[in-house]
């Protein structure tokens, strides 16, 4: 199948889903669906066609891209009323959500029994890179399913990493990625909170340390955003409560695997605590405000 | 003073100290001292002159480079019997050890009362980079002391970052650096232990994730070393018990500053636990063997 022949259904138009849908609409006919009509309107303005349900989006499509928040939303979109499976869809589902290996394996079996293939393809990179086709995509899929989804994957990914031959393999790698990412954001927050507590300029700390042995992608990326986290209008590029979900997947997978992950566990507690302090819908960089509240900020005094 | 005019005393010829001394001996007359005669012989073979004590090394020198392990060793080398201060030394002490801001401030005052300047210059980068003059050096020093030490600093550092105008300022930045570095090594160990527990190849995990949002200097650097940590002959590039010391500085500074650092605290416990399991003198990457013991290793079975 040539790329031009892929008819795409895109379900889920959130922070990552919408820019992905817009990116796909530049190359394929895309029928989009989201429960939120304002998001759906934005997709239509970007060239997609609106569908009234997941089933309606999927009907007649080759590839269903599923970019929803969590396991419950994945199951509803696939198996619920107005879901993909009821529509007689026979193509491939390309799942970009992070929901953990065990959940994806069960879903892959249920889909297989309806003649539907599953490409497990969790993504990493954030909204800006999603819109530019610059995502890291960690793919686990059987060869036939992968072949059908490949044109769509190549439109989304700058780095398409086939990590395994079965659904669930992508989630395994994404889980390990989120362990690192979630711990690194929390470490960056501790570093910046400590800098503020010690009365040194966090900007100088970031520039002095981010290229050295203490450097991480997250310290360089979230560090500067943490300095803006005290304002009310800080842009939300990645919601903090995504890490509440993802760190729970990390610690649950580690528990099932009998591997101790004390830092990931501490990071999970920190995100839970931040969420309980009302920061769930804010950018994940706002976790720094939990460790270093505004009243400590010399510039905000 | 021109670089050629600096007469250097170098005290402390450990994992970082010896390659630093050899690097300096390529540019300056260096009198070296270490309690371990085999290390001293290695320095002499590299062009340094042997001294029988810290005092003897310091006598007639312009700059004393002090690269010992911890606060107790710093105090002994400076103020103990056969120490630098008793020798009537009147130059500048360049302290490259990580001992925390509070300790350095007290030592700077004691030295000042003997007419000796202190350049607080903790280093980061490891033995290989130390030998190549490719260290990150975080400097806190008054202008006069810095001017005297600058030729020596420039021989050691590829990145010479003046972070403040007083002794202690370098330690503040190094403490924050070690928070990040120590947490990132522990996170890398958790990621690799989880990969092994899940039965996926850690090499693939490192190559798939180290350039993405989960990437860090330590994951890319220590990750591959962690795969060799199960062998008996793994090279020791950076001793694990250095992080027992450094994380205790991190958590103590954080405590005094009233900043919560739950991940750094968890990392400190992990290094303490690894040390109590006999890993203190091994490479810090061996912390992975605590989280993922050999009997889990499919390749070692």
């Amino acid at each position: 199948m040539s790329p031009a022949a892929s008819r795409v259904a895109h379900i889920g138009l959130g922070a990552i889903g919408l820019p992905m849908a817009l990116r796909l609409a530049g190359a394929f006919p895309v029928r989009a669906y989201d429960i939120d009509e304002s998001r759906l309107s934005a997709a239509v303005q970007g060239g997609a066609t609106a569908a009234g349900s997941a089933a309606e989006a999927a009907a007649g499509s080759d590839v269903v891209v599923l970019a929803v928040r969590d396991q419950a939303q994945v199951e509803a979109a696939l198996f619920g009323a107005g879901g993909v499976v009821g529509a007689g869809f026979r193509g491939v589902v390309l799942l970009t959500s992070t929901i953990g290996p065990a959940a994806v394996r069960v879903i892959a079996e249920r889909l297989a029994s309806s003649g539907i293939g599953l490409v497990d393809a969790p993504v990493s990179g954030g909204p800006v890179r999603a819109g530019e086709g610059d995502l890291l995509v960690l793919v686990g899929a059987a060869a036939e399913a992968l072949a059908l989804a490949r044109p769509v994957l190549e439109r989304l990914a700058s780095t398409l990493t086939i990590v395994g031959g079965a659904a669930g393999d992508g989630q395994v790698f994404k889980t390990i990625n989120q362990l690192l990412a979630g711990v690194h954001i929390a470490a960056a927050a501790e570093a910046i909170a400590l800098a503020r507590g010690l009365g040194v300029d966090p900007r100088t700390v970031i520039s002095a340390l981010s290229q050295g042995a203490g450097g991480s992608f997250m310290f360089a990326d979230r560090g500067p955003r943490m300095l803006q986290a005290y304002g009310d209008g800080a842009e939300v590029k990645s919601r903090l409560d995504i890490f509440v979900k993802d760190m729970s997947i990390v610690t649950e997978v580690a528990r099932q695997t009998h591997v101790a992950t004390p830092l990931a566990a501490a990071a999970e507690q920190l995100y839970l605590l931040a969420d309980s302090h009302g920061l769930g819908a804010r950018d994940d960089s706002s976790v720094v405000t939990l460790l270093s509240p505004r009243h400590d900020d010399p510039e905000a005094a």
Side-chain angles (χ1 to χ4, degrees), chain A residues 13-43:
Chain A
L13 301 166
I16 305 282
L18 180 58
M20 281 172 52
L22 299 178
R23 169 86 186 157
L24 292 172
F28 309 102
V30 171
R31 277 191 292 192
Y33 174 68
D34 193 284
I35 198 167
D36 180 333
E37 292 197 5
S38 69
R39 306 295 291 186
L40 194 51
S41 297

Side-chain angles (χ1 to χ4, degrees), chain A residues 167-184:
Chain A
D169 295 341
Q171 297 289 326
V172 163
F173 276 66
K174 183 70 190 293
T175 300
I176 298 169
N177 186 73
Q178 294 308 84
L179 183 159
L180 292 164
V183 168
H184 292 171

Side-chain angles (χ1 to χ4, degrees), chain A residues 8-139:
Chain A
V8 174
H10 193 105
I11 300 166
L13 301 166
I16 305 282
L18 180 58
M20 281 172 52
L22 299 178
R23 169 86 186 157
L24 292 172
F28 309 102
V30 171
R31 277 191 292 192
Y33 174 68
D34 193 284
I35 198 167
D36 180 333
E37 292 197 5
S38 69
R39 306 295 291 186
L40 194 51
S41 297
V44 169
Q45 285 183 321
T49 306
S53 67
E56 190 183 318
S61 294
D62 303 301
V63 178
V64 170
V65 177
L66 189 50
V68 295
R69 176 181 166 73
D70 55 24
Q71 181 179 350
Q73 290 188 2
V74 169
E75 289 175 350
L78 294 175
F79 309 113
V84 169
V85 171
F89 174 72
R90 287 290 178 276
V92 165
V93 171
L94 176 60
L95 177 64
T96 66
S97 312
T98 300
I99 64 173
V104 162
R105 288 178 187 131
V106 171
I107 287 165
E109 281 190 29
R110 290 181 70 182
L111 288 174
S113 69
S114 297
I116 300 173
L118 180 64
V119 173
D120 173 26
V123 301
S124 173
V128 173
R129 292 173 62 185
E132 294 166 350
D134 187 25
L135 291 170
L136 168 66
V137 187
L138 298 161
V139 182

Side-chain angles (χ1 to χ4, degrees), chain A residues 259-282:
Chain A
V259 173
T261 54
L263 276 75
E268 181 184 17
Q269 296 299 315
L270 204 51
Y271 292 116
L272 280 167
L273 195 54
D275 196 23
S276 74
H277 279 250
L279 301 172
R282 295 192 58 184

Side-chain angles (χ1 to χ4, degrees), chain A residues 242-295:
Chain A
I242 292 288
F243 271 102
V244 175
K245 167 179 72 82
D246 287 2
M247 294 313 281
S248 82
I249 292 171
V250 169
T251 54
E252 179 60 16
V253 168
R255 185 174 291 114
Q256 288 166 350
T257 315
H258 294 246
V259 173
T261 54
L263 276 75
E268 181 184 17
Q269 296 299 315
L270 204 51
Y271 292 116
L272 280 167
L273 195 54
D275 196 23
S276 74
H277 279 250
L279 301 172
R282 295 192 58 184
D283 193 73
D284 57 33
S285 60
S286 71
V287 69
V288 73
T289 67
L290 182 74
L291 295 172
S292 184
R294 190 185 191 101
H295 63 78

